[in-house]
Amino acid sequence: MSQFALLGSRRFAPFFWTQALGAFNDNAFRNAMVMLVAFQMGLGERTVALYTNLAPALFILPFFLFSATAGQLAEKYEKTRIIRWVKLFEIGAMLLAAVGFHTHHTGLLLAVLFMMGLHSTTFGPIKYAILPQALRPEELVGGNGLVEMGTQLAMLVGMIAGNSLMLIAGAGPLAASAATIAVAVAGYLASRRIPPAPATAPDLRFNWNPLGETARVLAITRADRAVFNAVLGISWFWFFGTVLVAQLPLYTQYALGGDGSVNTLVLTLFSIGTGAGALLCERLSGRRVEIGLVPLGAFGLTAFGVDLYLARHGAAAAHGLDWLAFLRAPGSWRVALDLTLIGVFAGFYVVPLFAFVQARAPREKLSRIIAGNNILNALLIVLAAGFGLGLGALGLDAPRIFLAAALLNVAVAAYIFTLVPEFIMRFITWVLVNTLYRVRADGLGRIPEEGPALLVCNHVSFMDPLLLMACVRRPVRFVMYYRIFNIPLLRFVFRTAKAIPIAGQKEDPAVLQRAYDAVDAALADGELVCIFPEGGLTRDGAVAPFRPGVLRILERRPVPVVPMALRGLWGSMWSRRDDMLRRARLPRRFRARVELVADPPVPPAQVRLDALEARVRMLRGELA
């Protein structure tokens, strides 16, 4: 089922429209206010500069002050009820904004801007924490992609609408007020259709001290290193995006020679690119949380950020171009492509990170972890503003600031991926599997979503663990022959995935015993463990007799057993053949069509070795 089917589902669609309408109003109001202050109130240049610089600070201040409190609310109380109160608060804020627009009362408008920041602060932890409650695990990446796409486009349309409505001669304040109030009401009506989302920690003791709770929320966010580094990655995305968007007006004017329509065009290209990248994540990841896309996204941000500098880094030869004249100018399509692809790779970067946090974080702490993420996002946005202003004060123009951010992205990505090698491991796995094979999975929803289980699968090629790793949604601990474990390059992948090397009794009994102990410990911790009970690669493509290691594992730790089978691998890259030695080990097939199928779990008390082997043979297609 396509992710777009979620837009017709009540468990997702009302929430999608509620959050998109809220993102629209945030940006429509902010831009309308800036247009009013800058162009229609007759204020001096210094006064205008004061207000336009104060506005972003007032909007972001509530994220520092109240994110931790918002995270507690989202954990302790039913989320849909909070959403409805937040949308009623938005209606009230927009009514006050209408008064401010009509009376040109800048103090009131700045107060409303703070209120809208509070609105977004409260909604933020709910926005991402509600998705795992509403969506199935295989829908999580697609749902996040739709939310990111909807947010980007709503922000873009909101900015354009806020600017355009306020500039309507003689009716700007009235038009902007009517639009923002109508959108707020529509958002509330959409929120009435969101299904209930029960509290995940109803017994949580509420801490009203924002400073103490902020410290506690950040400690919770740091507790899991992989989750925390994913949060750092998300915050870096906001840093990079803030630097890029903040420099676009100057870049448009001085490097591209464009007018306001060109600024709108480049914003549109970046937003559409980000939305497209977000939507592509589901297809590229096979509907699983695939953090292997994150290094790909980081590479694209740097590559096309550098190319954006190379494409146009001097003063424009002509000025005052509209968007059509700009596109007709030499070299402009390269700039347009770079901006779009920066957006696409930003989508590859951020959507898997959000899905990873949602999938990995404990459900009863997820809202507070999202709150911690929002605090760090706000901090990085402030640092991004300082970064841009500082480099500008040193004499760097917009293209050179783009280049600095793109190169800094290399250092940040290397830092994050060094701390959590799982990102690079997943990237290598994703590249190898998608380069060498075309994989179709069937029945993997039968694998338990929680708790321990033992996966048993036939063993056809050296790539079998990577294929399973790429298809199974939960992390899997693989038991593998120690010589396969030590294959160059793949050794890094297997060690990072915490694979368990094993040897035969006659080869190394100590390694064998350590393997059984590690399997038992993993199952005791509620993990998935996969073994290849044939004891080695098939020599003729058929399933070899199973060895009794499965029974030995179940004697120590009775857990469900999931029979699985790989089809189509024999004769493909990295598989063994009966005539390999005579044919210089050349593989027969590249980009082989491969299938991975799974049967329902077998209770441990019902597991018999011969029946398990027969089941895998049947899945493999060897038995009628």
Side-chain angles (χ1 to χ4, degrees):
M1 183 180 69
S2 167
Q3 67 200 84
F4 292 104
L6 291 173
L7 294 175
S9 168
R10 188 187 167 195
R11 58 196 171 91
F12 180 79
F15 166 76
F16 172 84
W17 291 112
T18 299
Q19 66 86 27
L21 292 168
F24 173 95
N25 249 10
D26 279 345
N27 288 272
F29 168 72
R30 275 192 289 172
N31 282 269
M33 188 193 80
V34 169
M35 288 296 103
L36 178 70
V37 170
F39 297 105
Q40 298 188 19
M41 292 179 57
L43 301 177
E45 184 178 343
R46 289 188 176 181
T47 306
V48 171
L50 172 64
Y51 285 131
T52 55
N53 284 285
L54 185 60
L58 279 175
F59 184 81
I60 208 167
L61 182 60
F63 286 90
F64 288 107
L65 298 177
F66 304 117
S67 283
T69 302
Q72 292 182 95
L73 286 171
E75 303 279 22
K76 187 173 179 61
Y77 301 106
E78 197 273 320
K79 294 179 179 62
T80 305
R81 183 178 301 175
I82 301 174
I83 291 174
R84 291 168 186 163
W85 281 108
V86 168
K87 302 315 286 185
L88 287 173
F89 179 83
E90 181 187 349
I91 294 173
M94 290 302 96
L95 289 171
L96 285 177
V99 176
F101 285 150
H102 180 69
T103 61
H104 290 190
H105 195 302
T106 52
L108 181 58
L109 291 173
L110 290 173
V112 172
L113 188 62
F114 181 85
M115 293 172 68
M116 291 303 290
L118 182 59
H119 156 272
S120 295
T121 300
T122 307
F123 189 71
I126 300 172
K127 176 177 177 178
Y128 290 104
I130 201 172
L131 288 178
Q133 291 183 265
L135 303 179
R136 293 187 288 270
E138 66 271 18
E139 297 171 332
L140 201 53
V141 173
N144 275 280
L146 287 169
V147 167
E148 185 64 30
M149 178 272 296
T151 300
Q152 289 294 327
L153 295 183
M155 290 169 62
L156 174 66
V157 176
M159 286 189 285
I160 295 171
N163 290 342
S164 303
L165 291 171
M166 188 53 73
L167 294 177
I168 295 175
L174 178 61
S177 299
T180 52
I181 292 170
V183 169
V185 171
Y188 173 73
L189 294 177
S191 73
R192 300 287 303 175
R193 296 280 297 164
I194 301 175
T200 51
D203 298 327
L204 179 71
R205 289 188 60 186
F206 207 90
N207 181 8
W208 290 101
N209 181 345
L211 294 178
E213 187 60 25
T214 295
R216 187 168 73 167
V217 160
L218 291 175
I220 292 171
T221 307
R222 291 196 304 268
D224 185 307
R225 189 175 69 169
V227 169
F228 181 61
N229 281 283
V231 167
L232 291 180
I234 294 168
S235 297
W236 171 250
F237 164 80
W238 282 102
F239 180 99
F240 189 93
T242 300
V243 170
L244 181 72
V245 172
Q247 300 304 316
L248 282 181
L250 289 174
Y251 178 70
T252 298
Q253 185 176 358
Y254 295 110
L256 303 183
D259 62 9
S261 68
V262 178
N263 186 59
T264 300
L265 173 65
V266 295
L267 274 173
T268 301
L269 291 172
F270 177 70
S271 299
I272 289 176
T274 304
L279 293 177
L280 283 171
C281 284
E282 184 190 52
R283 182 173 182 84
L284 292 174
S285 64
R287 306 187 74 191
R288 70 189 301 275
V289 178
E290 182 51 84
I291 59 173
L293 292 176
V294 178
L296 178 65
F299 169 80
L301 290 177
T302 290
F304 292 103
V306 170
D307 194 65
L308 185 64
Y309 166 77
L310 297 175
R312 194 74 62 88
H313 57 270
H319 292 274
L321 302 175
D322 64 15
W323 69 273
L324 192 56
F326 163 72
L327 289 177
R328 289 171 177 165
S332 295
W333 281 100
R334 180 178 173 186
V335 172
L337 183 63
D338 282 336
L339 286 165
T340 304
L341 289 175
I342 288 172
V344 169
F345 282 91
F348 292 167
Y349 183 86
V350 74
V351 169
L353 287 175
F354 269 122
F356 178 79
V357 171
Q358 291 162 344
R360 185 69 67 92
R363 189 68 60 86
E364 70 279 4
K365 296 180 180 178
L366 178 57
S367 294
R368 283 173 288 172
I369 289 173
I370 296 297
N373 167 76
N374 290 345
I375 294 169
L376 293 174
N377 289 353
L379 176 62
L380 267 290
I381 289 171
V382 172
L383 292 177
F387 178 82
L389 290 172
L391 293 185
L394 293 174
L396 273 68
D397 58 11
R400 288 180 173 82
I401 293 175
F402 292 157
L403 178 64
L407 296 178
L408 185 58
N409 181 61
V410 177
V412 172
Y415 172 75
I416 293 174
F417 301 152
T418 300
L419 288 178
V420 188
E422 185 178 354
F423 287 92
I424 293 296
M425 178 270 291
R426 294 296 318 178
F427 175 65
I428 294 172
T429 302
W430 183 81
V431 169
L432 285 174
V433 169
N434 285 278
T435 299
L436 299 177
Y437 306 103
R438 288 169 289 177
V439 186
R440 188 181 74 85
D442 185 32
L444 299 191
R446 294 164 173 166
I447 298 173
E449 293 292 344
E450 296 178 343
L454 188 65
L455 313 182
V456 297
C457 188
N458 61 317
H459 204 4
V460 187
S461 78
F462 294 106
M463 297 290 290
D464 293 355
L466 297 189
L467 279 162
L468 270 70
M469 198 184 302
C471 295
V472 178
R473 294 187 181 90
R474 288 181 60 187
V476 181
R477 301 282 301 276
F478 291 91
V479 181
M480 62 178 61
Y481 187 46
Y482 73 102
R483 291 188 177 177
I484 295 179
F485 181 88
N486 289 320
I487 292 175
L489 178 64
L490 298 185
R491 175 181 172 84
F492 166 77
V493 175
F494 296 145
R495 286 177 64 90
T496 305
K498 300 181 181 179
I500 301 169
I502 195 168
Q505 179 69 37
K506 294 181 180 179
E507 288 180 289
D508 195 327
V511 170
L512 178 65
Q513 185 57 47
R514 284 198 298 271
Y516 280 119
D517 291 342
V519 169
D520 187 67
L523 294 173
D525 288 340
E527 297 183 87
L528 291 180
V529 175
C530 179
I531 66 169
F532 303 99
E534 297 162 270
L537 297 184
T538 177
R539 295 184 177 277
D540 58 6
V543 177
F546 280 12
R547 298 187 181 183
V550 175
L551 301 180
R552 182 172 174 181
I553 291 170
L554 295 178
E555 285 174 1
R556 293 183 63 175
R557 185 76 52 181
V559 296
V561 177
V562 181
M564 305 178 71
L566 286 161
R567 303 172 182 162
L569 267 174
W570 180 246
S572 68
M573 182 75 77
W574 299 105
S575 67
R576 181 179 284 169
R577 297 199 312 261
D578 54 353
D579 60 348
M580 282 182 73
L581 293 177
R582 291 196 301 274
R583 299 197 180 191
R585 300 181 182 270
L586 294 175
R588 283 181 178 170
R589 292 186 294 123
F590 184 73
R591 290 289 290 164
R593 292 186 180 276
V594 176
E595 292 181 285
L596 175 63
V597 294
D599 238 14
V602 180
Q606 299 177 18
V607 173
R608 296 193 345 262
L609 200 61
D610 56 345
L612 196 60
E613 179 185 327
R615 194 64 210 160
V616 173
R617 287 180 181 273
M618 184 173 293
L619 291 172
R620 172 70 175 74
E622 295 181 18
L623 300 176

